[in-house]
Amino acid sequence: MPVCEFPDTQDKEPEIPISLNKVGVTGVKKLLKINRKNKRPIILLPTFNAYVNLPSTQKGSHMSRNPEAITEVVDEAINEPEIHLETICSNLVKKLLEKHEYAISAETEVKSEYVIHKLSPVTNKKTEETTTIIARALATKDEEGNINVRKMIGAEVVGMTVCPCAQESVVKDSREKLLEFLDEQTTEKVLNTVTFASHNQRGRGTILLEVAEEEEVNVDDLIKIIQDSMSSQVCEILKRPDENKIVTNAHNNPVFVEDCVRNMVKGILDYYPNLSNDSTVTFKQVNEESIHQHNAFAEKTSSLGQLKKELGRD
Amino acid sequence: MPVCEFPDTQDKEPEIPISLNKVGVTGVKKLLKINRKNKRPIILLPTFNAYVNLPSTQKGSHMSRNPEAITEVVDEAINEPEIHLETICSNLVKKLLEKHEYAISAETEVKSEYVIHKLSPVTNKKTEETTTIIARALATKDEEGNINVRKMIGAEVVGMTVCPCAQESVVKDSREKLLEFLDEQTTEKVLNTVTFASHNQRGRGTILLEVAEEEEVNVDDLIKIIQDSMSSQVCEILKRPDENKIVTNAHNNPVFVEDCVRNMVKGILDYYPNLSNDSTVTFKQVNEESIHQHNAFAEKTSSLGQLKKELGRD
Amino acid sequence: MPVCEFPDTQDKEPEIPISLNKVGVTGVKKLLKINRKNKRPIILLPTFNAYVNLPSTQKGSHMSRNPEAITEVVDEAINEPEIHLETICSNLVKKLLEKHEYAISAETEVKSEYVIHKLSPVTNKKTEETTTIIARALATKDEEGNINVRKMIGAEVVGMTVCPCAQESVVKDSREKLLEFLDEQTTEKVLNTVTFASHNQRGRGTILLEVAEEEEVNVDDLIKIIQDSMSSQVCEILKRPDENKIVTNAHNNPVFVEDCVRNMVKGILDYYPNLSNDSTVTFKQVNEESIHQHNAFAEKTSSLGQLKKELGRD
Amino acid sequence: MPVCEFPDTQDKEPEIPISLNKVGVTGVKKLLKINRKNKRPIILLPTFNAYVNLPSTQKGSHMSRNPEAITEVVDEAINEPEIHLETICSNLVKKLLEKHEYAISAETEVKSEYVIHKLSPVTNKKTEETTTIIARALATKDEEGNINVRKMIGAEVVGMTVCPCAQESVVKDSREKLLEFLDEQTTEKVLNTVTFASHNQRGRGTILLEVAEEEEVNVDDLIKIIQDSMSSQVCEILKRPDENKIVTNAHNNPVFVEDCVRNMVKGILDYYPNLSNDSTVTFKQVNEESIHQHNAFAEKTSSLGQLKKELGRD
């Protein structure tokens, strides 16, 4: 039975001639092998969303082409000696425009768990942490058929945040009580010696960074920038001296949710001072406050050029 | 102990002078009583997100003011003889700008489960359906201190969608087989008599509609528009004749994910032909395809003016 | 069209004559008004699961009877001057056995968000906290048709936990450093004055308690017992002095995940020393460790009689 | 700084001397490489829960030993030429008892996404489906120090279910209407030719099967048994003839949620007629009803011996 003999309901005219911005599939999981130069390949199981626009003259999009496009792009990636997730997204939006001849825009989002390996800070135990890597791409086709692609790479990482405000109030309390039996100089010495309490909690930092065609950004750098923006990293295996070190370090480095975002901004400009000024980047931090049921949230979206200007680095 | 004696860590200068777009709280739940004219009041338990911007000169936002603002706005709402959720959001962003004197923009999003009452289609059993209502507001303050507010109201509703494409192919198959023992005219008569199979599934339609200061939109209308855009409503209590009616009706009204969005567009313009052309509206449909693990998705975002133009109603 | 004219597919013999333990519906949401003596009624939107067993001779269960039974029981509850959620569950399993004449066991589980009102600890700000209340009931019918019902009531509550182990190691560190410039006596005085850091986080405590027919347990007591078992309560609105108090109190009361469970055990026996020894109770605590991505977990399931014996209270 | 110098808070006596059933960690993710004879190894990223009991004389469990035990067991698995997930669980509970010398019971649960490869039914497109595999193990140590281990393997798989009851009522309707213009014999012929509508939806089937020490069960068999118990498999890539085939086949094989469970029971006894009669097995099916917001549910838990007796195969 030839494939083409079934009716093409999608190609009919719709009764309500409205064009649609995005039509496609969400939640397509696909095993992906990423080759890396001089390193072992990585196996991921990302979830793909993939969309194209739909003109007002077409009843339906040919949806089955979207998981097919994902499969083809993933299969082709295996032959690359080195490939990045954002490049796979970029290839995917181009392929979507090929397969949907009526489309002039295509979009894809990909998320995947990604394991990093590290050592606990004192006893050097091997431990694995799970992060989420994110990539996106958008393609638009102009009237001459030229295709413009924007691609983005990012990550979401869990760390630990210690509240500076609660800690300052605990220090203030202690200072007053210490001054009742110690002189000022000794009190200050004690304050500088002791690790004071605060509330602390899991935080989730996210960066999503646009990269131009010729630019290269390493997702491991992004993960490191996010981790270093919080009071401390977290770690799946911690023996007692490791736990002590993490708790002490974190309390010596208290940060607001706002500080996390600003630290990420600085981190990106420090690691990658030469990325295109036109590229857009989003930074986001969510802290799961241990004193509340609600979360604290901060976000910055900007062009890299604007960020450099704000920090006087332009 | 006076409140003010603790240090105001938030008011310090940040080390990294970057302004932030959104700082605030997410996931604040708050009981809310909404009075309605000539109807019983409604009790909701919405979840609020509430943010303001933060200048580059301020280390932290005073977060506790956000849940306080939510409480105040909810407490004031009780005194209104009739109030809409989007108006509460509008009041909230204004209050956020009052409380955060350094802020020039504020944003809030609210979601709440909302129960509607209906009758099963044949046996008229009383049944309750759970929908989600959504509201948002954004406020900006210009240099003269004038505040501009945009507010939005919407809903997310579950219904049933039947795929027209799979059904057409089933009809085609049957026609061929029927023609082996029936003449053409009888075959067509059979085809018009029988309810043919297709794949069908839960779909989730969403509308989020901007309303101008003086305009009134009823969220129950939005819920009805969304329900009517799918192949059929769903119903928590269905006796056998009800189930038969729903299955038959749905299969007589197969719709693509794209059709659902277009039906919602038409529904809004039919119900509310006179809303401001500048208002923005977003329509979204997600079908949990019964033949796949992934979902089908369609989205339209546009101004109402542009929608009227597309449908030739301007 | 009379209801009965459709075929009763469920009443057929199944091809594979296997009896089933539980057949029914999950995720039925239903508005519920609970009257309380001398207090305002409460509006809840619980989610119900409701099941019966199915003999090997019956192809299908008549599922639509389950949401109908839920509706009837909820409608009847409105006429009670005072009713508990576990009694509604008890009524529901009895009704399920009536409606499914072939069933000899029935089971239901209910969960609902439930808001409690409190004051912040220092500034006495009014604040609302969201808890989850849980109820279950199981009914069995013996050969003479006698029905035995067991019912349970419980809650899940978020609080804050401070790790005693990490705190002890921070104290030990500080003691050593203080002894370098202070004598032993002054050092101990300092140690008793200062609030030392530890890791702390959101914890979730759960109690599910069986209550006999004639016994009365108040879910607000259970919520209080759970809150008091952690290092501190959490609070949606906290001004600076409140935050300071919560952080300080919590760090003066560090608890392991195991301590939380043991505190809950003691709390139940203190509040309700006279409940039936045969009743079963489950205690569970999950701490969302701020130093890890994984959670800490502890659980105790026992009869009340056994608990009294363990604590020497029998 | 030597590791041992920090205080062992866990080893203290608790103030409330209550023993605990389960203390441990939940949500530990760990990359796992599973070697298979004559096949390529599989990379999984499972989530582990791991617990031991705690006596009433011990304040806390040494939690960091649990992620360490997971790491060691996963590292040792790499050296096996062939290993099953349930054996890794079995190794883990033994290791937990070694590391926690005070424990006499240990328990672990593991879940992992697991990708299977298949072809679409007509056009033979290569497609990948994501399933969840599950394993558990429980170890108990008697007074002589003998360790008894029970291990379980299972899977959760998405498929498609078509309701037989709704379909019968649609057929009945059609028969009546057809008899208005066709004779009885032709009507029956038409009824046997046409694929009639029903409601259909995603279903999720689960099997969790105990396997004795010396027995071998292949998780791919379990996945196949679950898929074949529903009306049809689902498939990520379906061209039009594939979609037609799946819809038609599914509607020729309508099943209740109860039928799915019974089909799984029969499947296990057909595939594995010789497993130990003492082994316990649980079957579960959840159908995401397209005509409701709630789900249909069925469950059977039994020993294999009892199942054989019910089917007359003992």
Side-chain angles (χ1 to χ4, degrees):
Chain A
M1 178 164 47
V3 173
C4 52
E5 93 183 87
F6 282 103
D8 191 338
T9 319
Q10 283 81 359
D11 267 343
K12 292 183 183 166
E13 288 266 334
E15 283 178 43
I16 303 167
I18 290 281
S19 65
L20 301 178
N21 306 71
K22 284 163 68 169
V23 177
V25 294
T26 64
V28 177
K29 294 201 176 183
K30 183 84 192 149
L31 268 181
L32 170 63
K33 189 176 178 187
I34 289 191
N35 294 313
R36 300 179 303 170
K37 280 181 196 133
N38 310 321
K39 289 188 189 171
R40 275 186 305 179
I42 302 171
I43 309 290
L44 300 175
L45 180 54
T47 303
F48 288 84
N49 300 340
Y51 323 95
V52 294
N53 76 305
L54 190 73
S56 64
T57 50
Q58 175 115 7
K59 182 174 169 69
S61 186
H62 296 87
M63 295 255 182
S64 69
R65 296 176 190 172
N66 295 21
E68 276 185 303
I70 294 167
T71 299
E72 289 170 26
V73 163
V74 164
D75 285 351
E76 289 160 15
I78 257 178
N79 301 320
E80 297 295 324
E82 167 134 11
I83 192 157
H84 288 192
L85 194 55
E86 67 272 26
T87 308
I88 291 171
C89 283
S90 168
N91 294 344
L92 178 52
V93 285
K94 288 181 215 156
K95 183 141 326 210
L96 287 169
L97 286 186
E98 274 172 39
K99 285 185 179 277
H100 297 275
E101 65 290 342
Y102 46 78
I104 58 169
S105 72
E107 186 174 341
T108 189
E109 301 146 357
V110 183
K111 276 197 176 198
S112 180
E113 290 188 314
Y114 171 67
V115 172
I116 57 169
H117 300 265
K118 61 187 190 195
L119 299 178
S120 71
V122 178
T123 67
N124 289 324
K125 292 263 171 190
K126 279 188 205 169
T127 170
E128 289 173 16
E129 309 300 311
T130 308
T131 68
T132 302
I133 53 174
I134 317 162
R136 292 184 63 195
L138 297 120
T140 48
K141 188 157 74 175
D142 68 16
E143 288 178 18
E144 282 81 44
N146 302 314
I147 291 173
N148 177 264
V149 178
R150 296 175 59 196
K151 60 182 182 178
M152 276 141 273
I153 179 70
E156 182 186 308
V157 181
V158 173
M160 181 188 183
T161 62
V162 174
C163 176
C165 169
Q167 197 181 36
E168 274 205 33
S169 78
V170 168
V171 171
K172 184 177 180 299
D173 265 2
S174 298
R175 175 184 282 115
E176 283 166 18
K177 288 181 195 152
L178 290 170
L179 283 171
E180 291 171 15
F181 61 94
L182 293 179
D183 61 40
E184 271 206 29
Q185 201 189 337
T186 316
T187 296
E188 288 312 309
K189 215 166 159 186
V190 168
L191 296 181
N192 287 325
T193 303
V194 161
T195 308
F196 285 94
S198 182
H199 67 86
N200 54 78
Q201 52 269 320
R202 287 187 196 151
R204 285 170 206 277
T206 308
I207 296 177
L208 187 62
L209 174 65
E210 186 176 350
V211 287
E213 193 60 37
E214 67 290 351
E215 292 171 351
E216 281 233 343
V217 163
N218 188 337
V219 78
D220 293 303
D221 291 341
L222 302 184
I223 290 169
K224 196 156 168 26
I225 290 168
I226 300 170
Q227 283 182 332
D228 292 349
S229 298
M230 293 186 245
S231 296
S232 171
Q233 299 186 17
V234 294
C235 205
E236 288 304 85
I237 299 187
L238 292 174
K239 302 309 289 181
R240 241 177 239 126
D242 300 312
E243 187 191 37
N244 175 268
K245 178 95 167 194
I246 282 206
V247 169
T248 307
N249 281 0
H251 283 78
N252 290 336
N253 181 31
V255 288
F256 281 134
V257 70
E258 297 93 335
D259 294 317
C260 297
V261 169
R262 284 163 169 156
N263 289 338
M264 287 191 270
V265 170
K266 183 170 179 298
I268 285 289
L269 296 187
D270 286 350
Y271 268 74
Y272 293 105
N274 300 317
L275 294 179
S276 164
N277 283 342
D278 295 336
S279 291
T280 293
V281 58
T282 296
F283 304 90
K284 202 161 64 180
Q285 178 75 20
V286 181
N287 289 347
E288 301 173 355
E289 304 290 285
S290 67
I291 56 170
H292 300 302
Q293 289 195 70
H294 65 256
N295 299 329
F297 178 94
E299 189 179 274
K300 172 76 176 181
T301 299
S302 174
S303 71
L304 286 171
Q306 180 59 32
L307 291 180
K308 290 175 194 171
K309 203 176 283 175
E310 285 203 55
L311 281 191
R313 297 193 182 179
D314 53 333
Chain B
M1 179 164 45
V3 174
C4 52
E5 94 183 86
F6 282 103
D8 191 338
T9 319
Q10 283 81 0
D11 267 344
K12 292 184 183 165
E13 289 267 333
E15 283 177 42
I16 303 166
I18 289 280
S19 65
L20 300 178
N21 306 72
K22 284 164 69 170
V23 177
V25 294
T26 63
V28 177
K29 294 203 175 182
K30 183 85 193 150
L31 268 182
L32 171 63
K33 189 177 177 186
I34 289 190
N35 295 312
R36 301 179 302 170
K37 282 182 196 132
N38 310 321
K39 289 189 189 171
R40 276 187 303 180
I42 303 170
I43 309 289
L44 300 176
L45 180 54
T47 302
F48 289 83
N49 301 340
Y51 323 96
V52 294
N53 77 303
L54 190 73
S56 64
T57 50
Q58 175 115 7
K59 183 174 168 69
S61 187
H62 296 88
M63 295 254 181
S64 69
R65 295 176 190 171
N66 296 20
E68 275 184 303
I70 294 167
T71 298
E72 289 170 25
V73 163
V74 164
D75 285 351
E76 289 159 15
I78 258 178
N79 300 320
E80 298 294 324
E82 168 135 9
I83 192 157
H84 288 193
L85 194 57
E86 66 274 25
T87 308
I88 291 170
C89 284
S90 169
N91 294 343
L92 178 53
V93 286
K94 288 182 216 156
K95 183 139 332 209
L96 288 169
L97 286 186
E98 274 171 38
K99 284 183 180 279
H100 298 275
E101 65 290 342
Y102 46 78
I104 57 169
S105 72
E107 186 173 341
T108 189
E109 301 147 357
V110 183
K111 277 198 175 196
S112 180
E113 289 188 314
Y114 172 68
V115 172
I116 57 170
H117 300 263
K118 58 187 193 194
L119 299 177
S120 72
V122 178
T123 68
N124 289 323
K125 292 264 172 191
K126 279 189 205 167
T127 171
E128 289 173 17
E129 308 301 311
T130 307
T131 67
T132 303
I133 53 173
I134 317 162
R136 291 185 64 195
L138 298 119
T140 48
K141 189 157 74 176
D142 68 17
E143 289 178 17
E144 284 79 45
N146 302 314
I147 290 173
N148 176 263
V149 178
R150 296 175 58 195
K151 59 182 183 176
M152 276 141 271
I153 180 70
E156 182 184 309
V157 182
V158 173
M160 182 188 181
T161 61
V162 174
C163 176
C165 169
Q167 197 180 38
E168 274 206 32
S169 79
V170 168
V171 171
K172 183 176 184 299
D173 265 3
S174 297
R175 175 185 282 113
E176 281 167 19
K177 289 180 195 151
L178 290 170
L179 283 171
E180 290 172 16
F181 62 91
L182 294 178
D183 61 43
E184 271 205 29
Q185 199 187 340
T186 316
T187 295
E188 288 311 310
K189 215 166 161 186
V190 168
L191 295 181
N192 288 325
T193 303
V194 161
T195 308
F196 285 95
S198 183
H199 67 87
N200 53 78
Q201 54 269 320
R202 287 187 197 153
R204 286 172 206 277
T206 308
I207 295 178
L208 187 62
L209 173 64
E210 186 176 349
V211 287
E213 195 59 37
E214 68 290 351
E215 292 172 353
E216 282 232 347
V217 163
N218 188 338
V219 77
D220 292 303
D221 290 342
L222 302 185
I223 290 169
K224 196 156 169 26
I225 290 168
I226 299 170
Q227 283 182 331
D228 292 349
S229 297
M230 294 186 245
S231 296
S232 172
Q233 297 186 18
V234 294
C235 206
E236 289 303 85
I237 300 188
L238 292 174
K239 303 308 291 181
R240 238 175 241 127
D242 300 311
E243 186 191 38
N244 175 268
K245 179 96 166 191
I246 282 206
V247 168
T248 308
N249 281 0
H251 283 79
N252 289 338
N253 182 29
V255 288
F256 282 133
V257 70
E258 297 94 336
D259 294 318
C260 297
V261 169
R262 284 163 169 156
N263 288 338
M264 288 190 268
V265 171
K266 182 168 179 301
I268 284 289
L269 296 186
D270 287 351
Y271 268 73
Y272 292 106
N274 300 317
L275 293 179
S276 164
N277 282 343
D278 294 336
S279 291
T280 294
V281 57
T282 295
F283 305 90
K284 202 160 65 180
Q285 177 75 20
V286 180
N287 289 346
E288 300 173 355
E289 304 291 285
S290 67
I291 56 170
H292 300 302
Q293 290 195 69
H294 65 256
N295 299 329
F297 177 95
E299 189 180 273
K300 172 75 176 182
T301 299
S302 174
S303 70
L304 286 170
Q306 179 59 31
L307 291 180
K308 291 176 193 169
K309 203 176 284 175
E310 285 203 54
L311 281 191
R313 297 192 184 182
D314 53 334
Chain C
M1 178 162 49
V3 174
C4 52
E5 90 183 271
F6 282 102
D8 191 337
T9 319
Q10 283 81 0
D11 267 343
K12 292 183 183 167
E13 289 266 336
E15 283 178 41
I16 304 167
I18 290 282
S19 65
L20 300 179
N21 307 71
K22 284 163 68 169
V23 178
V25 295
T26 64
V28 177
K29 294 203 175 181
K30 183 84 192 149
L31 268 182
L32 170 63
K33 188 177 178 187
I34 289 191
N35 294 313
R36 300 179 303 168
K37 281 181 194 133
N38 310 320
K39 289 189 190 171
R40 275 188 303 180
I42 303 171
I43 310 289
L44 300 176
L45 181 53
T47 303
F48 289 83
N49 300 340
Y51 322 96
V52 294
N53 76 304
L54 190 72
S56 64
T57 50
Q58 176 114 7
K59 182 174 169 70
S61 186
H62 295 87
M63 295 255 181
S64 69
R65 296 176 189 172
N66 296 20
E68 276 185 302
I70 295 168
T71 298
E72 290 170 25
V73 164
V74 164
D75 286 351
E76 289 160 15
I78 258 179
N79 300 320
E80 298 294 325
E82 168 134 9
I83 192 157
H84 288 193
L85 194 56
E86 66 273 26
T87 309
I88 291 171
C89 284
S90 169
N91 295 343
L92 178 52
V93 285
K94 288 181 214 155
K95 181 137 334 205
L96 288 169
L97 287 185
E98 275 172 38
K99 285 184 179 277
H100 297 275
E101 64 290 340
Y102 45 79
I104 57 168
S105 71
E107 186 174 342
T108 188
E109 301 145 356
V110 182
K111 277 198 176 195
S112 180
E113 290 188 314
Y114 171 67
V115 172
I116 56 170
H117 300 265
K118 61 187 191 195
L119 299 177
S120 71
V122 178
T123 67
N124 289 324
K125 292 264 171 191
K126 278 189 205 168
T127 170
E128 289 174 16
E129 309 300 311
T130 308
T131 67
T132 302
I133 53 174
I134 317 162
R136 293 184 63 195
L138 296 120
T140 48
K141 189 157 73 175
D142 67 17
E143 288 179 17
E144 284 80 45
N146 303 313
I147 290 174
N148 176 264
V149 177
R150 295 175 59 197
K151 59 181 182 178
M152 277 141 272
I153 179 70
E156 182 185 308
V157 182
V158 173
M160 183 187 181
T161 62
V162 174
C163 176
C165 169
Q167 198 180 38
E168 274 205 34
S169 78
V170 168
V171 171
K172 184 176 182 300
D173 265 3
S174 297
R175 175 184 281 114
E176 282 166 17
K177 289 181 194 152
L178 290 170
L179 283 172
E180 290 171 15
F181 61 93
L182 294 179
D183 60 42
E184 270 205 28
Q185 200 188 339
T186 317
T187 296
E188 288 311 310
K189 214 166 160 187
V190 168
L191 295 181
N192 287 325
T193 303
V194 161
T195 309
F196 285 95
S198 182
H199 67 87
N200 53 80
Q201 53 268 322
R202 287 187 197 152
R204 286 171 205 277
T206 307
I207 295 177
L208 188 62
L209 174 65
E210 186 175 350
V211 287
E213 193 60 37
E214 67 290 352
E215 292 171 352
E216 281 232 346
V217 163
N218 188 336
V219 78
D220 292 303
D221 291 340
L222 302 185
I223 290 168
K224 197 157 168 26
I225 291 168
I226 300 170
Q227 282 182 333
D228 292 349
S229 298
M230 294 185 244
S231 296
S232 171
Q233 298 187 16
V234 295
C235 205
E236 288 304 83
I237 299 189
L238 292 174
K239 302 309 291 182
R240 242 177 238 126
D242 300 312
E243 187 191 37
N244 175 268
K245 178 95 166 194
I246 282 206
V247 169
T248 308
N249 281 0
H251 283 78
N252 289 336
N253 182 30
V255 288
F256 281 134
V257 70
E258 296 94 336
D259 293 318
C260 298
V261 169
R262 283 163 170 157
N263 289 337
M264 288 191 269
V265 170
K266 182 168 179 300
I268 284 289
L269 296 187
D270 287 350
Y271 269 73
Y272 293 106
N274 299 318
L275 293 180
S276 164
N277 283 342
D278 294 337
S279 290
T280 293
V281 57
T282 295
F283 304 91
K284 201 161 65 179
Q285 177 76 19
V286 180
N287 289 347
E288 300 173 355
E289 303 291 283
S290 67
I291 55 169
H292 300 302
Q293 290 194 70
H294 65 257
N295 299 329
F297 177 95
E299 189 179 273
K300 171 76 175 181
T301 298
S302 175
S303 71
L304 285 170
Q306 180 59 30
L307 291 180
K308 291 176 193 170
K309 202 176 283 173
E310 285 203 54
L311 281 191
R313 297 192 183 181
D314 53 333
Chain D
M1 180 163 47
V3 174
C4 53
E5 94 183 85
F6 282 102
D8 190 337
T9 319
Q10 282 82 0
D11 267 343
K12 292 184 183 166
E13 288 266 334
E15 284 178 40
I16 303 167
I18 289 282
S19 65
L20 300 178
N21 307 72
K22 284 164 68 170
V23 177
V25 294
T26 63
V28 177
K29 294 203 174 182
K30 183 85 192 147
L31 268 182
L32 170 63
K33 188 177 177 185
I34 290 191
N35 294 312
R36 301 179 302 169
K37 281 182 195 132
N38 310 321
K39 288 188 191 171
R40 276 188 303 180
I42 303 171
I43 309 289
L44 301 176
L45 180 54
T47 302
F48 289 83
N49 300 340
Y51 322 96
V52 294
N53 76 305
L54 190 73
S56 64
T57 51
Q58 175 114 7
K59 182 174 169 68
S61 186
H62 295 86
M63 294 256 181
S64 69
R65 295 177 189 171
N66 295 20
E68 276 185 303
I70 295 167
T71 299
E72 289 170 25
V73 163
V74 164
D75 285 352
E76 289 160 16
I78 257 178
N79 300 320
E80 299 294 325
E82 168 134 10
I83 192 157
H84 289 192
L85 193 56
E86 66 273 25
T87 308
I88 290 171
C89 284
S90 169
N91 294 344
L92 178 52
V93 286
K94 287 181 215 156
K95 181 138 333 206
L96 287 169
L97 286 185
E98 274 171 38
K99 285 183 179 278
H100 297 275
E101 65 289 344
Y102 46 78
I104 57 168
S105 71
E107 185 173 341
T108 189
E109 302 146 356
V110 184
K111 277 199 175 196
S112 180
E113 291 189 311
Y114 172 67
V115 172
I116 57 169
H117 299 263
K118 60 187 192 195
L119 300 177
S120 71
V122 178
T123 68
N124 289 325
K125 291 264 172 190
K126 279 188 204 169
T127 171
E128 289 173 17
E129 309 301 311
T130 307
T131 67
T132 303
I133 53 173
I134 317 162
R136 291 184 65 196
L138 298 120
T140 47
K141 188 156 74 176
D142 66 18
E143 289 177 18
E144 284 80 46
N146 301 314
I147 290 174
N148 176 264
V149 178
R150 296 176 57 197
K151 59 182 183 177
M152 277 141 272
I153 180 71
E156 181 184 310
V157 182
V158 173
M160 183 187 181
T161 62
V162 174
C163 175
C165 169
Q167 196 180 38
E168 274 205 33
S169 79
V170 168
V171 171
K172 183 176 183 299
D173 265 2
S174 297
R175 175 184 282 112
E176 283 167 18
K177 289 181 195 152
L178 290 170
L179 284 171
E180 290 172 15
F181 61 93
L182 294 179
D183 61 44
E184 270 204 33
Q185 198 188 342
T186 317
T187 296
E188 289 310 310
K189 215 167 160 186
V190 168
L191 295 180
N192 288 325
T193 304
V194 161
T195 309
F196 285 94
S198 182
H199 67 88
N200 54 78
Q201 54 269 319
R202 287 187 197 152
R204 286 171 205 277
T206 308
I207 296 177
L208 186 63
L209 173 65
E210 187 176 349
V211 287
E213 194 58 37
E214 67 289 353
E215 292 171 354
E216 282 231 347
V217 163
N218 188 336
V219 77
D220 292 304
D221 291 341
L222 302 185
I223 290 169
K224 197 157 168 26
I225 290 167
I226 300 170
Q227 283 181 332
D228 292 350
S229 297
M230 294 185 244
S231 295
S232 170
Q233 298 186 17
V234 294
C235 206
E236 289 303 84
I237 300 187
L238 292 173
K239 303 309 290 180
R240 239 175 241 125
D242 300 312
E243 186 190 37
N244 175 268
K245 179 94 166 195
I246 281 207
V247 169
T248 307
N249 281 0
H251 283 79
N252 290 337
N253 182 31
V255 287
F256 282 134
V257 69
E258 297 93 337
D259 293 319
C260 297
V261 169
R262 284 162 169 156
N263 289 338
M264 287 191 269
V265 170
K266 182 169 180 299
I268 284 289
L269 297 186
D270 286 351
Y271 269 73
Y272 293 106
N274 299 318
L275 293 179
S276 164
N277 283 343
D278 294 336
S279 291
T280 293
V281 57
T282 296
F283 305 89
K284 201 160 65 180
Q285 177 76 19
V286 181
N287 289 347
E288 301 173 355
E289 303 290 284
S290 68
I291 56 169
H292 301 301
Q293 289 194 69
H294 64 256
N295 299 328
F297 178 95
E299 189 179 274
K300 172 77 175 182
T301 299
S302 173
S303 70
L304 285 171
Q306 180 59 31
L307 291 181
K308 290 176 194 169
K309 202 176 284 174
E310 284 203 54
L311 281 192
R313 297 193 183 181
D314 53 334

